[in-house]
Amino acid sequence: MKKIAFMTGGGDCAGINSFIASAVRHGSQKYGAEFVGIKKAFEGAAADNIEEHLLPLGLPEVLGLEVKPSTILASSRFNPFSPENKEKGYPEKITANLKRLGIDGVLATGGNDTIKSAMGLAELGFPVIAAPKSIDNDVSGTDTMLGFKTAVAFGSQAFRSTVESARTHRRISLVEIMGRDAGWLSLEIGIAGGADLILIPEKPVDLKKLCERIGEVFARQSYVNIAVAEGVRLRNDDPVLESVKKQSPVVAAMVEEDLGWDAHGNPKLGGVGQILRRIIRYQLSLKKLEDVRATDLGFTLRGLPPTADDITLGTRFGTKAVDLLFSGETGKMVGLQGTQIVPVPFKEALAQKTVNWSDEDLSSVGVFFS
Ligand code: F6P
């Protein structure tokens, strides 16, 4: 084992560069390893012109890199193991490319989809160790992952600002936050940001009851703050939704709009805050749409410089990932369990980690469900 390649797949987030910096420092000093980054992850690795996607990474290149946002290696959601890409021979093309470049092992950062591709590569006999990253915090086998803590820190500051403003102007304020199937990010931003109500994908909402609750909170304190995960489930046949669709062509169009799917079969999301804003307005018979404000934190939580938590986690993941690769391990993810960084088999990591608190605990911090 001498030459190691990095791939950083999926949505970008804080802490990926901290991982790269730490792995390069540790691997070159302890094992005399050489490192190269492959830009655009599996898309770059599968390219005919892979040479043009390479970024050599030595000690000088990673100086100060641990504090930089996002990933210096660009990203892609390309899926080499989709049925049609398997048919086109992409998996074999990737291993052939890597071997031709003299690469002995891969260190990948990613969420569930990238880890699935990393597992495919490991199953083809290529040594791979991964580190989990996702602002959604939805990879299993680890207490937290790169990007999450930074997103919560910044997101809760932003949320607090909307709370102050809603109080001053006596408004209802909705903040939409990423989180497709897992509501961890909305949950923690909502708690730390001071939300009155938190809506997460794990807990479907009845719109009539939700609006009643919003009305009650408004009557009590003259303002309401709601954190809503982009993936919150509204029932298509919810009578309130049906009736608002008739009153608002905008809601009808937004609900019907097909935003498409990514290369791994995940639905593209975004916009539920704007839909809910209108539903609340009609259901509470408010005169103006501006009485309900909607803010979308969206991509503001992805390209952030890492906080101390993510620099530390990236640094610990980086050293452990290199040690695992050099001890002959493959098909494993590094995970934080309690205070220890441990190897986790890819299969265990892939189970979606959704919010699993008891209903009592959720409701006591403001999560709404009906
Ligand atoms: O990485 C997961 C995620 O943050 C989801 O919450 C979101 O739906 C998705 O990324 C969107 O990412 P993109 O538009 O960059 O594919």
Side-chain angles (χ1 to χ4, degrees):
M1 181 82 45
K2 180 88 179 120
K3 193 167 174 186
I4 312 297
F6 288 103
M7 293 196 219
T8 61
D12 66 335
C13 67
I16 300 173
N17 285 329
S18 318
F19 172 81
I20 295 173
S22 155
V24 169
R25 275 198 305 267
H26 185 65
S28 37
Q29 284 163 0
K30 185 167 174 188
Y31 302 102
E34 261 178 65
F35 291 90
V36 64
I38 301 178
K39 291 185 196 165
K40 297 201 213 157
F42 287 94
E43 186 182 328
D48 289 329
N49 59 348
I50 184 172
E51 281 79 2
E52 288 168 31
H53 291 78
L54 300 182
L55 184 70
L57 292 166
L59 289 175
E61 284 78 24
V62 302
L63 263 186
L65 179 63
E66 61 277 5
V67 300
K68 300 265 165 64
S70 195
T71 164
I72 46 163
L73 294 180
S75 188
S76 159
R77 292 195 187 270
F78 177 76
N79 177 8
F81 294 94
S82 70
E84 57 174 20
N85 285 343
K86 265 165 95 170
E87 186 112 320
K88 288 183 188 156
Y90 278 114
E92 293 72 24
K93 197 163 172 205
I94 290 173
T95 50
N97 268 349
L98 296 175
K99 282 183 189 147
R100 183 165 55 78
L101 294 169
I103 290 165
D104 306 302
V106 164
L107 291 176
T109 60
N112 290 304
D113 298 326
T114 304
I115 294 174
K116 208 181 273 169
S117 297
M119 185 164 83
L121 193 59
E123 281 167 1
L124 288 175
F126 208 88
V128 192
I129 299 290
K133 65 90 231 167
S134 173
I135 64 169
D136 290 5
N137 195 36
D138 59 350
V139 177
S140 286
T142 185
D143 298 346
T144 186
M145 58 211 63
L146 301 176
F148 179 64
K149 297 274 185 186
T150 301
V152 170
F154 181 91
S156 50
Q157 285 291 316
F159 195 95
R160 263 268 155 235
S161 164
T162 65
V163 171
E164 292 304 325
S165 187
R167 180 187 295 130
T168 301
H169 291 278
R170 297 162 304 284
R171 274 182 187 142
I172 297 171
S173 168
L174 277 159
V175 177
E176 181 174 331
I177 298 161
M178 278 192 180
R180 195 166 39 216
D181 300 304
W184 295 109
L185 192 57
S186 298
L187 180 66
E188 293 213 9
I189 288 177
I191 295 172
D196 300 299
L197 297 171
I198 303 171
L199 310 181
I200 58 176
E202 292 85 345
K203 295 284 170 191
V205 291
D206 175 292
L207 290 170
K208 186 163 181 283
K209 291 191 179 133
L210 172 67
C211 292
E212 279 166 8
R213 177 71 69 81
I214 293 170
E216 283 159 24
V217 178
F218 191 78
R220 190 169 68 237
Q221 61 187 35
S222 303
Y223 68 100
V224 189
N225 293 283
I226 307 156
V228 53
E230 60 173 1
V232 70
R233 314 275 189 252
L234 308 181
R235 275 187 13 243
N236 268 340
D237 62 348
D238 188 305
V240 169
L241 184 58
E242 287 294 307
S243 115
V244 174
K245 269 162 71 180
K246 287 184 193 123
Q247 296 172 77
S248 164
V250 175
V251 170
M254 287 184 83
V255 170
E256 304 307 331
E257 190 180 22
D258 180 2
L259 299 176
W261 303 79
D262 73 13
H264 296 268
N266 304 303
K268 289 280 181 187
L269 299 175
V272 73
Q274 288 296 338
I275 295 174
L276 280 174
R277 178 188 190 201
R278 289 166 171 84
I279 291 171
I280 295 165
R281 184 236 169 149
Y282 285 110
Q283 196 64 12
L284 298 189
S285 307
L286 302 173
K287 279 204 200 79
K288 293 171 284 174
L289 182 57
E290 70 188 57
D291 290 332
V292 189
R293 292 291 191 182
T295 306
D296 185 358
L297 289 187
F299 291 89
T300 64
L301 306 184
R302 293 251 289 248
L304 294 165
T307 58
D309 279 327
D310 272 319
I311 298 173
T312 307
L313 191 64
T315 303
R316 295 186 69 199
F317 276 172
T319 55
K320 184 72 174 184
V322 165
D323 284 340
L324 287 173
L325 208 50
F326 276 85
S327 67
E329 292 272 15
T330 178
K332 304 261 166 74
M333 176 192 90
V334 285
L336 174 71
Q337 294 184 1
T339 57
Q340 304 299 309
I341 308 290
V342 298
V344 179
F346 282 159
K347 274 223 166 74
E348 277 177 36
L350 285 174
Q352 269 260 331
K353 186 178 72 173
T354 49
V355 173
N356 57 357
W357 297 3
S358 71
D359 282 359
E360 200 185 343
D361 286 352
L362 288 175
S363 121
S364 63
V365 295
V367 173
F368 177 83
F369 47 95
S370 32

